[in-house]
Amino acid sequence: MALSSYDRLQVACYSRTLDSRLPVLRGKGAAHRLFTHLQQAPVGGDGSLAAALSVPGALPRLPGMTWIISDFWLEGGEEELSRSLSLLSGAGQETVLVHILSREELEPRLSGDLRLVDIETGTGKEVAVTGRVLEAYREELERYRQMLARVCAERGMTYVLIPDDMPLQEAVFGILAGAGLVKG
C-alpha cells in the first residue's frame, strides 16, 4: 500500500539485534524487492522488542508511521512493551501493532500428557493438558491481549490481532479497514 502511493517504506527485521534491513523503497516497482527480502528474512529466536529498538539506528529518523508485526510474546511483558512504545513515540512515530497468532495459539485443541516445544527456541516443557488448563490458557491469553490493547490505547496507538491463517484480503479489508488503518 505504501509503495503504490509512492510513500517511503523501510523494512527492518529484528530479534535481539538487527537481522536484516532494506534501504528506503519507493514506488510499485520496488514491490518485488520487498517481497523477496521478506521471504528470505530470518525467523525464530527469542526476540526482545526493547533490545531491537535500542540497536543504534533502529529508530526512524523522520516522523512517520511504524508498523510492528509480531507474535508479541515479550519476555518483559508490559514493562518491555511500554519502554519500546515510548521509544517510538519519542521518535515521532504513529505506531501500529499487528499481533499475529496461529489458530493453534488462539484456539488450542490439545489434551493429555504432552511435551510442548517452542518452535522459535527449541525448548520444551512437559504438560498435562486438561479442560481446566486450556481454560486458564484462554483467560491468560485474553488478559495479555487486553494489556497490549490498553498500553497502545494509552499512547494513542493502534493494536490489531490477525490470525496467521486469515486470507490477506480479509485481513486488509476487514480488520485493518475496520481499525481505520486502510480505506476499504
Side-chain angles (χ1 to χ4, degrees):
M1 292 178 292
L3 293 176
S4 69
S5 60
Y6 210 72
D7 290 335
R8 294 168 40 97
L9 174 71
Q10 186 169 28
V11 174
C13 301
Y14 296 91
S15 57
R16 287 194 179 276
T17 61
L18 176 63
D19 295 327
S20 64
R21 178 185 294 176
L22 275 174
V24 174
L25 303 174
R26 279 197 136 140
K28 293 178 187 177
H32 178 72
R33 189 170 176 197
L34 169 66
F35 295 131
T36 299
H37 178 80
L38 291 174
Q39 286 176 329
Q40 295 173 352
V43 296
D46 59 346
S48 164
L49 186 56
L53 292 176
S54 297
V55 171
L59 293 172
R61 294 183 185 162
L62 300 173
M65 181 175 254
T66 294
W67 290 55
I68 301 174
I69 302 167
S70 173
D71 62 8
F72 288 102
W73 295 123
L74 305 173
E75 288 179 20
E78 185 171 349
E79 184 178 318
E80 178 181 346
L81 180 65
S82 294
R83 190 169 55 249
S84 301
L85 296 181
S86 293
L87 290 170
L88 290 165
S89 290
Q93 296 303 296
E94 179 182 340
T95 304
V96 176
L97 271 61
V98 181
H99 193 181
I100 306 291
L101 292 178
S102 70
R103 190 61 62 190
E104 293 80 17
E105 290 169 301
L106 291 167
E107 302 164 6
R109 301 191 191 290
L110 304 171
S111 65
D113 295 331
L114 304 171
R115 177 167 176 77
L116 301 180
V117 178
D118 183 319
I119 195 167
E120 293 176 350
T121 64
T123 61
K125 183 170 185 145
E126 305 288 333
V127 295
V129 180
T130 64
R132 184 174 289 159
V133 168
L134 285 177
E135 185 57 31
Y137 168 83
R138 287 184 195 100
E139 289 172 5
E140 186 58 32
L141 176 60
E142 185 57 26
R143 272 194 293 281
Y144 193 73
R145 289 185 52 236
Q146 292 300 320
M147 179 275 293
L148 291 169
R150 178 182 46 77
V151 170
C152 286
E154 289 170 356
R155 289 162 176 73
M157 299 174 175
T158 303
Y159 165 83
V160 294
L161 171 71
I162 300 177
D164 72 347
D165 62 348
M166 179 176 279
L168 182 59
Q169 187 171 1
E170 187 179 334
V172 171
F173 296 111
I175 293 175
L176 298 180
L181 297 167
V182 297
K183 295 183 180 178

